[in-house]
Amino acid sequence: MKFLHLSDTHLGYHQYGLQERAADFFDVFNEAVDFALEKKVDFIIHTGDFFHSSRPSNQIILQGMEILKRLKDAKIPVFVISGNHDRGSHVRDVSPLKILQPLGLNLIDSGVLEYEGIFIGGLKYISKAGLKQLDFREVLEKFLEKMDEGFKILMLHQEFQPFFPDSKLNMFSDLPEGFDYVGIGHYHVAQPPSLINGATVVYPGSTEFTAYNEKEEEKGKGFYIIEVDNKELRTKFIKFQRRRPFLFYRFNEENSEQILKKIKDDLERGQYVKKPVLILKGTVKDLSYSDIRHLMKNEGITEEKFLHMQVNLAKDQVENSPEHTIIELEDNLIKKELQKLIGDKDLSEKVIELIDHLKTIENTDEVKKLLRENPEILDF
Ligand SMILES: [Mn+2]
């Protein structure tokens, strides 16, 4: 028996307000489907955030249907749970994944299902407030009671210690013994499998960047294929070939010329199927944003070579920051402050996402355009 585990596909996310980025999320999902068809896997598990929003646009729902139709035609069932992005609870609505059920998508938001002698338990994302109202471990123990002899899978979409030090849940104490495979979504950094209480526990990470993250780049973007032979389990991480390249560089005033030469080299050497996204993070004293742009132009590093270019400059002396300089604040600091202010973690994450969108925009017309094209941004 073999199956695919993917997670956090975030269909419908228009990063930087770009249609091309939305297409990228669709494209890598299809690459995983190509692989599933080629390897003739028995089924697929998806551990949440299938959609980026609990109210995906009709266009995005159609894309989801297109993907599932390919799998349905090949008789490969998909088992899924709702993540924090697509669970639909803040709008007192059902999960958008319910719409896709007639296309062979099996939504298991709380319970156990049997498929050809394999038991699959699923629990949708439970918020911090929700975790206070239930005994997480007990819920999972009840799932185990409903499972007979056979391979036992559990799907979750949660934050766990040690990956999230502030989380109430701990991988070592909150996963009862009895499962064979525990697939978890939510953490976008792919993690190698760990053996906990007899189960192989895996975070496959997101399929694309929802925000650039060096750790994610280091671990790679992809999904897992799991082969099971008499409970003997083998996992393999499959990296995407068609993913959008992200070029990320840190620079300071002293090494800026060297770094620009490196970007030029990388651009010339890299055989990119898709135009890369360039992210430059720098600490400068006297150089301004337009100085940097000018230096880049001199090296032939121009906008048309990239899908999107983002230059974030932090000033060594904040008090003299000229116009056009983006003062890069530590993400964590903003998150902590916002969470304190707002109180609700989901809502503060939404606000941070909105800020991320707005950071890439230069004038109010573009803000209007972004909101017109991506109304789900305001879907709190
Ligand atoms: Mn996610």
Side-chain angles (χ1 to χ4, degrees):
M1 183 256 287
K2 49 181 183 266
F3 64 97
L4 223 67
H5 175 199
L6 80 159
S7 197
D8 297 79
T9 44
H10 287 264
L11 275 189
Y13 184 39
H14 289 66
Q15 194 178 31
Y16 314 124
L18 294 175
Q19 289 294 342
E20 289 93 334
R21 281 300 286 150
D24 287 345
F25 284 78
F26 183 56
D27 198 22
V28 287
F29 203 148
N30 265 316
E31 189 179 332
V33 172
D34 291 345
F35 183 89
L37 298 183
E38 191 197 310
K39 296 285 174 193
K40 296 192 170 61
V41 298
D42 296 288
F43 58 91
I44 293 178
I45 64 167
H46 187 305
T47 43
D49 288 356
F50 184 101
F51 290 120
H52 185 64
S53 156
S54 59
R55 288 197 159 171
S57 67
N58 297 342
Q59 162 102 24
I60 296 304
I61 293 171
L62 273 172
Q63 284 190 346
M65 289 170 81
E66 217 176 284
I67 284 170
L68 291 168
K69 175 79 168 47
R70 297 183 65 204
L71 293 164
K72 190 173 191 253
D73 288 348
K75 298 193 169 54
I76 299 175
V78 183
F79 303 96
V80 69
I81 53 173
S82 303
N84 52 319
H85 278 263
D86 54 7
R87 71 198 150 125
S89 63
H90 344 273
V91 283
R92 292 168 193 269
D93 200 354
V94 295
S95 164
L97 298 169
K98 285 207 171 176
I99 302 168
L100 301 179
Q101 279 183 316
L103 277 153
L105 187 70
N106 300 280
L107 182 63
I108 317 177
D109 269 349
S110 181
V112 172
L113 192 143
E114 187 193 340
Y115 175 73
E116 299 192 345
I118 296 149
F119 295 91
I120 306 172
L123 185 62
K124 70 173 177 183
Y125 171 77
I126 311 279
S127 68
K128 215 173 224 173
L131 284 175
K132 282 188 192 145
Q133 286 156 29
L134 58 81
D135 186 331
F136 192 80
R137 200 188 150 94
E138 204 177 276
V139 172
L140 303 186
E141 278 164 355
K142 287 214 173 99
F143 286 178
L144 279 167
E145 283 167 22
K146 290 180 197 152
M147 296 180 174
D148 288 332
E149 274 302 298
F151 195 77
K152 297 176 181 69
I153 296 174
L154 173 66
M155 301 191 290
L156 298 171
H157 189 96
Q158 294 295 152
E159 295 181 352
F160 277 99
Q161 287 182 42
F163 300 111
F164 296 86
D166 298 337
S167 176
K168 191 176 169 275
L169 298 177
N170 187 309
M171 275 196 171
F172 297 95
S173 49
D174 290 304
L175 296 175
E177 198 172 332
F179 297 105
D180 296 297
Y181 184 87
V182 179
I184 320 176
H186 196 48
Y187 192 30
H188 285 192
V189 186
Q191 293 301 318
S194 23
L195 197 67
I196 298 171
N197 292 334
T200 300
V201 182
V202 170
Y203 268 112
S206 66
T207 50
E208 260 284 358
F209 285 118
T210 53
Y212 181 81
N213 175 321
E214 281 170 275
K215 268 196 259 169
E216 282 180 50
E217 184 70 271
E218 192 192 307
K219 301 279 183 186
K221 294 253 144 260
F223 53 89
Y224 275 93
I225 180 162
I226 298 96
E227 291 194 53
V228 187
D229 232 335
N230 275 333
K231 288 216 170 189
E232 193 72 43
L233 197 146
R234 277 196 313 272
T235 58
K236 195 177 175 199
F237 187 61
I238 309 294
K239 287 189 184 177
F240 288 117
Q241 307 290 316
R242 307 207 295 252
R243 159 166 103 75
R244 173 80 54 188
F246 274 67
L247 303 179
F248 174 82
Y249 305 88
R250 273 182 208 284
F251 72 98
N252 54 46
E253 196 128 352
E254 286 72 45
N255 72 5
S256 61
E257 278 183 38
Q258 256 166 285
I259 294 292
L260 293 179
K261 286 220 159 55
K262 186 168 178 1
I263 299 172
K264 194 187 168 194
D265 274 6
D266 289 350
L267 259 181
E268 277 166 12
R269 246 180 271 147
Q271 310 240 304
Y272 301 115
V273 186
K274 292 177 177 170
K275 272 190 186 183
V277 169
L278 175 69
I279 301 175
L280 270 177
K281 265 194 179 178
T283 318
V284 288
K285 289 194 196 82
D286 301 316
L287 282 177
S288 70
Y289 184 74
S290 49
D291 291 336
I292 302 280
R293 293 302 277 253
H294 190 72
L295 286 168
M296 287 170 82
K297 222 172 154 190
N298 283 349
E299 292 290 345
I301 305 164
T302 49
E303 298 220 12
E304 69 271 10
K305 297 205 163 106
F306 302 95
L307 174 75
H308 179 76
M309 203 151 98
Q310 192 176 313
V311 182
N312 291 350
L313 296 183
K315 276 279 158 187
D316 263 2
Q317 289 133 344
V318 175
E319 58 278 9
N320 300 324
S321 68
E323 223 183 319
H324 295 306
T325 301
I326 302 163
I327 303 298
E328 181 81 6
L329 290 170
E330 278 300 319
D331 268 4
N332 278 340
L333 188 71
I334 300 178
K335 274 182 198 167
K336 276 203 184 121
E337 287 304 313
L338 267 176
Q339 230 161 286
K340 248 192 269 165
L341 202 69
I342 295 171
D344 181 85
K345 186 157 181 287
D346 281 350
L347 188 58
S348 61
E349 274 177 7
K350 268 285 189 194
V351 173
I352 290 159
E353 209 179 285
L354 184 62
I355 293 169
D356 272 344
H357 269 291
L358 295 177
K359 269 202 307 207
T360 66
I361 283 175
E362 284 170 1
N363 58 52
T364 48
D365 279 345
E366 278 190 42
V367 175
K368 281 187 207 152
K369 185 164 168 269
L370 174 87
L371 292 176
R372 211 166 39 234
E373 285 174 6
N374 306 282
E376 74 276 6
I377 294 172
L378 293 178
D379 181 18
F380 285 7

